[in-house]
Amino acid sequence: MKQLMPFIVVIIFFILIAIFILALYNYRLKKRIIDAGPLDETGLKFLQELSGFGTESMKWAIILSTTGLGLIVMQFIPYSAQESPVPYGVEILFVAAGFFLYYLFIRNHRNKQSL
């Protein structure tokens, strides 16, 4: 596990750099579109799609939170790690719950936007 940790840290570091670069380029693209002048329907839809980064962040926050919660819950469940499929089932249930919570969040978000 100790040998794997630096590898994971490097991967997370590069993912954070990629997210920062994408956010920067989305900002620059939105700024150019707005500075270009009046927008038509297509331009407005495109601009809204670029601004959808908040829901993507929320998706990963919900999924990673429920996944972490599943790992915490597994610490309190007695099972044999070599023979039991219980840890896999518990973790899959928590990940699925995260996706379901995200679905409910998006559905609620869209309903508020359509009003």
Side-chain angles (χ1 to χ4, degrees), residues 55-115:
T55 59
E56 190 72 21
S57 298
M58 181 58 79
K59 174 176 81 172
W60 287 110
I62 292 171
I63 292 170
L64 291 175
S65 297
T66 56
T67 302
L69 186 62
L71 292 172
I72 291 170
V73 167
M74 280 195 311
Q75 292 296 316
F76 298 106
I77 298 175
Y79 61 89
S80 172
Q82 285 80 22
E83 300 169 6
S84 178
V86 170
Y88 302 111
V90 169
E91 194 58 31
I92 288 171
L93 283 175
F94 274 91
V95 171
F99 277 108
F100 182 67
L101 287 173
Y102 175 67
Y103 165 74
L104 293 176
F105 171 77
I106 289 297
R107 192 175 73 182
N108 187 23
H109 190 302
R110 286 184 182 156
N111 287 342
K112 285 182 181 178
Q113 281 184 344
S114 65
L115 294 178

